[in-house]
């Protein structure tokens, strides 16, 4: 019965993609004439055909994140971006000798593997810290100040992500 | 009510422009390549968020709000990707960060 | 609001000019790419604000297209320079 479960999962996965692609088409075209809607249906079908073929090659269906979790995460991330932008702006207008750029490797064992992209992108998106490399369980981070490295090592982004999406395994 | 919206979106637009200008100054002022990436990321994240939300408050409800939000989400997803690709290729190209030059090989050996 | 949009437009143009200047006068090739990338994102914002200044929100479509092209172009240039760029 495991195979039928996988099949059901694959169908719901395709359905989610079809719905989001259709919404994307409507957003970009904005017309509801039958001819243009027909073009939209044709392009969605074409994209799904290519998508299924590619899935057969890499065999790794990517899950959509649940909206509820993203909605819980985004406001916190926006707050972080605002506060660290203020810090970087202060550094920019201050004298150039105040910057203390530093580089460190940070362990991300606790973050689930599927969320590591989100983790690395959150680090890069907050000004003042920049992900250089993701390698196994370690992330190489460059920061404008030593203090932001210390904060990352204490795991303030990681604990937020694991708080919302759960720990690794 | 409409006046209040105008004031809020005006504040958002002006602060967004301020962050954009300080990022642009930082791109010239900061001492080395990797620190300049940080300054550019200020203009890519907070300035974009503030300016686009200032525009959203001026838009009547409809498809244009969806388009603005799409621009916002798209820029917020692609700009870290672009800066990551930039930093990675700079390391492959042999640019070291300032702390590496000072501390020698304490944290990281020279890139391959 | 029109005056404010005009001010915002001019300020974004100033930021774009600084980014272009960085692209012209830069110590390494990566600084130039950084400047061009910044120029691209600011162009997206500029097109959107100009649309509101002129009262034609259709400009948002152009902004979307520009955002897509800018990202693809950045990634393509970086793929090209990742292993071939000389450091001077």
């Amino acid at each position: 019965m495991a195979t039928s479960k996988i099949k059901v999962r694959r169908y719901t996965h395709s359905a989610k993609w079809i719905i989001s692609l259709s919404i994307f088409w409507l957003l970009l075209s904005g017309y509801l004439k039958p001819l243009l809607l027909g073009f939209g249906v044709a392009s969605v079908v074409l994209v799904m055909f290519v998508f299924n073929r590619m899935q057969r090659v890499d065999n790794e269906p990517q899950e959509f994140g649940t909206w509820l979790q993203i909605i819980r995460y985004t406001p916190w991330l926006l707050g972080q971006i605002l506060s660290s932008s203020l810090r970087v702006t202060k550094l920019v207008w201050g004298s150039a000798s105040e910057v203390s750029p530093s580089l460190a490797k940070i362990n991300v064992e606790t973050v689930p593997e599927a969320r590591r992209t989100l983790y690395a992108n959150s680090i890069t998106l907050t000004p003042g810290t920049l992900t250089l490399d993701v390698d196994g369980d370690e992330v190489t981070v460059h920061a404008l100040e030593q203090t932001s490295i210390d904060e990352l090592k204490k795991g303030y982004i990681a604990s937020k992500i694991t708080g919302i999406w759960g720990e690794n395994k | 009510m409409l006046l209040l919206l105008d004031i809020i979106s005006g504040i958002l637009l002006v602060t967004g422009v301020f962050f954009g200008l300080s990022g642009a100054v930082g791109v010239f002022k900061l001492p080395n390549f990797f620190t300049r990436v940080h300054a550019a990321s200020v203009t890519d994240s907070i300035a974009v968020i503030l300016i686009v939300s200032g525009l959203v408050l001026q838009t009547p409800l409809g498809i244009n709000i969806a388009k603005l939000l799409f621009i916002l989400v798209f820029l917020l997803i692609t700009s870290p990707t672009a800066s990551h690709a930039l930093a990675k290729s700079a390391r492959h190209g042999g640019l070291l960060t300032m702390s590496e030059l000072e501390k020698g090989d304490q944290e990281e050996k020279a890139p391959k | 609001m029109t005056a404010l949009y005009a001010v915002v437009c001019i300020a974004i143009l100033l930021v774009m000019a600084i980014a272009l200047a960085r692209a012209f006068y830069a110590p390494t090739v990566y600084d130039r790419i950084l400047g061009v990338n910044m120029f691209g994102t600011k162009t997206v914002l500029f097109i959107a604000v100009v649309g509101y200044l002129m009262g034609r929100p259709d400009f948002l479509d152009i902004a979307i297209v520009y955002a897509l092209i800018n990202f693809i172009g950045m990634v393509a240039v970086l793929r090209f320079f990742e292993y071939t760029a000389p450091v001077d």
Side-chain angles (χ1 to χ4, degrees):
Chain A
M1 283 303 101
T3 50
S4 76
K5 215 174 199 175
I6 289 175
K7 241 180 193 170
V8 168
R9 238 183 77 192
R10 187 178 290 165
Y11 283 136
T12 54
H13 186 70
S14 307
K16 278 180 188 168
W17 268 108
I18 289 174
I19 291 170
S20 40
L21 284 173
S22 312
I23 291 175
F24 186 54
W25 173 275
L26 284 178
L27 172 67
L28 289 190
S29 103
Y31 284 102
L32 290 173
K33 290 177 190 156
L35 175 70
L36 288 163
L37 279 184
F39 284 147
V41 171
S43 57
V44 169
V45 168
L46 181 69
V47 169
M48 284 313 290
F49 173 68
V50 174
F51 186 76
N52 277 330
R53 278 178 66 106
M54 285 169 80
Q55 200 130 64
R56 225 174 288 157
V57 174
D58 79 350
N59 217 355
E60 187 184 346
Q62 291 292 323
E63 285 291 322
F64 268 84
T66 345
W67 285 102
L68 206 68
Q69 290 161 328
I70 299 274
I71 288 169
R72 270 171 68 197
Y73 184 65
T74 315
W76 179 81
L77 184 64
L78 290 183
Q80 291 302 316
I81 290 174
L82 187 63
S83 68
S84 55
S85 297
L86 282 173
R87 247 164 47 191
V88 174
T89 310
K90 232 180 263 165
L91 280 180
V92 165
W93 292 110
S95 74
S97 57
E98 276 171 40
V99 296
S100 55
S102 51
L103 191 80
K105 284 194 168 175
I106 288 167
N107 200 320
V108 289
E109 261 175 355
T110 52
V111 180
E113 243 169 77
R115 302 294 156 222
R116 288 202 185 144
T117 318
L118 181 71
Y119 178 72
N121 267 1
S122 306
I123 290 179
T124 312
L125 198 55
T126 47
T129 48
L130 175 66
T131 315
L132 296 181
D133 226 335
V134 183
D135 188 19
D137 282 344
E138 278 184 330
V139 177
T140 312
V141 176
H142 181 269
L144 206 49
E145 287 175 297
Q146 184 63 43
T147 49
S148 25
I149 289 273
D150 296 338
E151 281 174 13
L152 278 179
K153 275 192 172 154
K154 268 183 237 151
Y156 81 108
I157 291 183
S159 63
K160 187 74 189 175
I161 289 183
T162 52
I164 292 177
W165 275 281
E167 294 246 340
N168 193 12
K169 270 114 212 180
Chain B
M1 189 59 207
L2 226 58
L3 185 70
L4 188 68
L5 272 186
D6 275 4
I7 291 173
I8 294 175
S9 81
I11 291 172
L12 286 176
L13 285 171
V14 169
T15 42
V17 159
F18 167 72
F19 277 116
L21 280 175
S22 26
V25 170
V27 163
F28 261 95
K29 203 175 160 194
L30 289 177
N32 101 344
F33 169 71
F34 285 93
T35 55
R36 289 195 278 263
V37 175
H38 294 302
S41 87
V42 174
T43 71
D44 278 353
S45 57
I46 192 74
V48 171
I49 293 172
L50 289 176
I51 290 179
V52 172
S53 38
L55 291 181
V56 163
L57 290 184
Q58 288 296 312
T59 317
L61 210 60
I63 196 168
N64 283 329
I65 285 194
K67 278 179 189 165
L68 274 174
L69 290 182
F70 174 74
I71 292 178
L72 178 62
V73 169
F74 186 80
L75 285 181
L76 286 188
I77 291 175
T78 55
S79 81
T81 315
S83 8
H84 170 74
L86 186 61
K88 196 168 156 235
S89 66
R91 268 168 80 81
H92 278 298
L95 278 190
L96 291 169
T97 63
M98 221 150 74
S99 51
E100 279 177 18
L101 289 178
E102 282 164 9
K103 291 186 209 158
D105 56 358
Q106 187 189 354
E107 288 281 3
E108 181 86 359
K109 309 203 170 42
K112 314 126 213 172
Chain C
M1 276 319 270
T2 318
L4 183 65
Y5 286 143
V7 170
V8 171
C9 273
I10 293 170
I12 295 179
L13 271 181
L14 186 63
V15 175
M16 284 163 72
I18 296 175
L20 260 196
R22 178 86 271 183
F24 274 112
Y25 305 103
T28 65
V29 78
Y30 303 107
D31 282 295
R32 291 173 203 275
I33 300 175
L34 183 70
V36 171
N37 182 32
M38 218 172 125
F39 181 76
T41 29
K42 292 296 102 56
T43 311
V44 176
L45 285 183
F46 179 68
I47 295 173
V49 178
V50 161
Y52 280 78
L53 174 67
M54 295 178 167
R56 291 172 64 184
D58 312 331
F59 274 46
L60 288 179
D61 291 324
I62 306 173
I64 289 177
V65 170
Y66 202 91
L68 295 167
I69 292 176
N70 181 44
F71 178 62
I72 305 274
M74 268 296 294
V75 172
V77 168
L78 285 171
R79 287 306 289 179
F80 179 67
F81 275 115
E82 184 159 4
Y83 294 104
T84 58
V87 176
D88 42 4

